[in-house]
Amino acid sequence: MVDYVLVLVPMFLIISSNIVIIVSTVRSARQKLTLTESTEAGSSVANSTQRSLVAMLVTISVAFVVLKSPYFLVKFILPESVTKKPGFQFVSRKEAVYRFIMSFFTANMYVNNAVNFYLYMLSGREYRRELKMLVTRLCKRKTEVPVEKGNASTSTLSTSG
């Protein structure tokens, strides 16, 4: 039961927060549109950055909910004997199908962790810019010539007769 609480509470918070973020973003955009018909360059850039950030957050959280919740839903629905039983030895075809379903949704849970990087790359302009700066700095660091240390010599002593 603790597993379900630890997953369902964050998922509820994520879904409700997404709804609040989307509603407030739409209201803000409508309000700005009605107040000023002509958009200024500064507010346009800020608006674009805000939209990009909202899109990235909503995309990441939707992926989390879509990829993680089926596992816990299936774990809740399927009999405990199937979900807790280790290994892949089955008595019936039904148990084998249940285990396949559990394995599929377990893999989806891990896919969520792997796909986050790509979702950030696709939806976050600022994230792409920061990643590009990081990679270029690392590449520049690799191409620098290492500096030789003066008077750094090593000697070994032989203990054989």
Side-chain angles (χ1 to χ4, degrees), residues 7 12 17 25 33-34 38 48 50 52 55 66 76 79 87 93-94 101 106 114 116 122-123 145:
V7 170
F12 172 75
S17 297
T25 303
L33 193 62
T34 57
S38 62
S48 173
Q50 182 183 10
S52 175
V66 166
F76 183 72
R93 178 178 171 83
K94 190 176 185 179
I101 291 170
T106 302
N116 280 343
L122 290 173
S123 62
V145 178

Side-chain angles (χ1 to χ4, degrees), residues 7 11 62-73 105 108-110 112-113:
V7 170
M11 283 189 191
V62 166
F64 174 80
V65 170
V66 166
L67 292 172
K68 291 249 184 187
S69 60
Y71 170 80
F72 290 98
L73 183 66
F105 289 123
N108 272 355
M109 265 188 8
Y110 292 120
N112 177 59
N113 297 331

Side-chain angles (χ1 to χ4, degrees), residues 82-99:
V82 174
T83 60
K84 300 282 185 189
K85 184 179 178 183
F88 289 96
Q89 295 179 356
F90 308 108
V91 177
S92 69
R93 178 178 171 83
K94 190 176 185 179
E95 282 183 3
V97 170
Y98 286 165
R99 180 58 74 169

